[in-house]
Amino acid sequence: MALNSPEARDLAHHLHSFTHLPSLERDGPLVLERGEGIYVHDTHGKRYLESVSGLWNVVAGFSEPRLVQAAHEAMAQMPAYHTFFGRTALPPVVLAEKLVEIAPMDVARVYFVNSGSEANDTTVKMLWMMARGAGEPERRKLISRYMAYHGTTVASCSLNGKPYINAFGLPLPEVIYAEAPHHWRNAHPGESEEAYADRLAGELESLIEAEGPETIAGFFAEPVMGAGGAVPPPAGYFPKIQAVLNRHGIPMVADEVVTGLGRTGNLWGAQTYEFTPDIVVTSKALTSGYMPMGAVLLSPEMDRRLRIAAEAYDEFPHGFTTGGSPAAAAVALEAIALITEPGGLLDNVKAVAPTLKAALEGFESHPLVGEVRHVGLLGALEIVADKGSKRPFAPEHEIGERIVQAAYARGLITRPIGDAVIVAPPFSITAEQIGELMESLGAVLDEITDTATRESMGPVPLAASAE
């Protein structure tokens, strides 16, 4: 890296999120300069196919003029305001109406925040406030699932069923975990998806009864586990889980930050997996990542409980300065239009999803691929050292970093999560571009396979990112 290059300046002063710091020091960052549809260009002019929509969120691609125009007009008319003290700008009013209209369940009210993490944190506070307002202050426990991801604020991070949260002294004591619903990895030998879902529902009921249903404030679940590795649930899972929750009067929170607004082939993951949440959390595709925004959608019953609880304080004592930004709301309204209009992005997801499915399934025989997962425009290839035993590579092999760097060299941005390579392209991708993506990904996996035998693979120099 040149002394004053963007990469060197980044390394000197910029702390990156969720980044393997030794690899960053060794290989340097990728600094991007502009976007064009599903492609992005770095500061050296190299083009990359962005196969994971940034962080699942840039569903309209990186140069959608309608979103830029919506932001421009909103910034010129009413660039900023808040939702405190009974005040607001007009765009959040219209956006709330639109979300009520398109929600996967009856919704009474919408609360705006800046991100999915804030939305989940807000939901935790709402549930605790509802319980206290109902005279049940002991109802504090929150059920999440191992391998879940719900955000990075303190409460939402506690819901993440991942070992790294121990770095922060988390989880909070109120959080308990159920099993991750990953049939390939966790089912008993010969156990069907339906039987596995029955077992998980029974285990959840046992967990609730052991903890005391009167102590549990809510159950949080992603329709598809996103940062847990793009893991769809087994057949029948959510209706069975919801039946257990309903028996015990426990609210179901659907974290639709990744799946909401089209990723699974329906507008909501709850529709794909046939359950009716009490609360929906959404973000990411809400503005296609062009503006920070998230939302909490409350069913009439959840809204009723919250309003009763708020009476003791004469207000809902919570908020974010930029939550309900009029500019972000205007962009969200245009993003929703792009997704839902006839011939729009959701229709394209439905049209090209079979192409992605077939292409991913073509990797089932690859020596590095243990499992192929997919729904809508979301897929994953589970990378294994041994297909028969499902044994992953040891961490010192740096298999994920190898894949990232080999992909860069071929003009592909991909994302390994744990032992899985994720594919979640913008909703605007064409069948031809899916072919391009899969050809590059196949070449990457072949290169990794050829680097050394799977049994002896150890740390070797990573492929350089060609300019």
Side-chain angles (χ1 to χ4, degrees), residues 50-319:
E50 230 297 357
S51 73
V52 284
S53 304
L55 280 177
W56 323 87
N57 57 341
V58 190
V59 298
F62 293 86
S63 57
E64 175 48 58
R66 285 171 55 179
L67 298 183
V68 174
Q69 184 64 25
H72 173 77
E73 291 176 1
M75 293 290 282
Q77 182 169 342
M78 187 71 172
Y81 208 63
H82 60 83
T83 65
F84 287 55
F85 321 127
R87 304 172 198 156
T88 188
L90 181 58
V93 176
V94 181
L95 179 58
E97 292 173 332
K98 174 56 69 174
L99 288 171
V100 168
E101 174 191 332
I102 67 174
M105 80 291 196
D106 289 339
V107 169
R109 217 170 302 274
V110 179
Y111 187 82
F112 292 115
V113 296
N114 300 290
S115 68
S117 296
E118 288 184 1
N120 278 310
D121 230 69
T122 295
T123 300
V124 169
K125 292 175 74 175
M126 286 177 168
L127 290 169
W128 285 346
M129 187 175 176
M130 290 177 202
R132 294 181 71 84
E136 300 177 303
E138 72 283 357
R139 196 180 281 274
R140 298 276 298 179
K141 295 175 185 174
L142 306 163
I143 302 178
S144 184
R145 302 175 299 173
Y146 290 110
M147 298 309 295
Y149 183 86
H150 295 286
T152 56
T153 49
V154 171
S156 64
C157 187
S158 290
L159 297 169
N160 297 347
K162 292 173 172 285
Y164 69 75
I165 70 173
N166 296 327
F168 312 109
L170 298 174
L172 295 172
E174 290 89 349
V175 177
I176 53 180
Y177 302 99
E179 181 174 316
H182 190 174
H183 179 264
W184 177 82
R185 178 62 72 186
N186 297 330
H188 295 161
E191 189 175 34
S192 69
E193 287 194 32
E194 193 81 26
Y196 178 53
D198 282 331
R199 175 163 65 83
L200 292 184
E203 290 175 359
L204 176 63
E205 186 131 41
S206 297
L207 176 64
I208 290 169
E209 291 171 350
E211 295 289 337
E214 73 284 353
T215 69
I216 298 173
F219 175 89
F220 286 73
E222 306 153 272
V224 177
M225 300 188 86
V231 180
Y237 172 80
F238 275 107
K240 296 175 192 295
I241 292 297
Q242 184 154 47
V244 172
L245 298 173
N246 288 346
R247 278 197 293 275
H248 295 285
I250 297 170
M252 160 77 86
V253 181
D255 181 343
E256 296 256 17
V257 170
V258 168
T259 55
L261 297 168
R263 178 62 68 184
T264 65
N266 289 297
L267 202 55
W268 303 97
Q271 295 166 333
T272 299
Y273 297 108
E274 301 179 329
F275 69 100
T276 305
D278 298 291
I279 298 174
V280 164
V281 167
T282 187
S283 185
K284 294 195 184 291
L286 181 60
T287 64
S288 189
Y290 281 46
M291 286 276 190
M293 176 164 263
V296 180
L297 283 59
L298 297 170
S299 71
E301 177 60 16
M302 295 295 99
D303 180 66
R304 184 190 69 82
R305 293 185 193 181
L306 186 64
R307 289 168 70 84
I308 289 172
E311 288 175 0
Y313 305 93
D314 295 324
E315 63 182 3
F316 177 45
H318 174 75

Side-chain angles (χ1 to χ4, degrees), residues 19 23 101 155 163 177 182 211 223 250 257 270 274 317 321 363 394 422 439 448 451 464-465:
T19 297
S23 297
E101 174 191 332
Y177 302 99
H182 190 174
E211 295 289 337
I250 297 170
V257 170
E274 301 179 329
T321 301
F363 286 98
I422 306 303
E439 182 179 357
I448 297 300
T451 300
S465 179

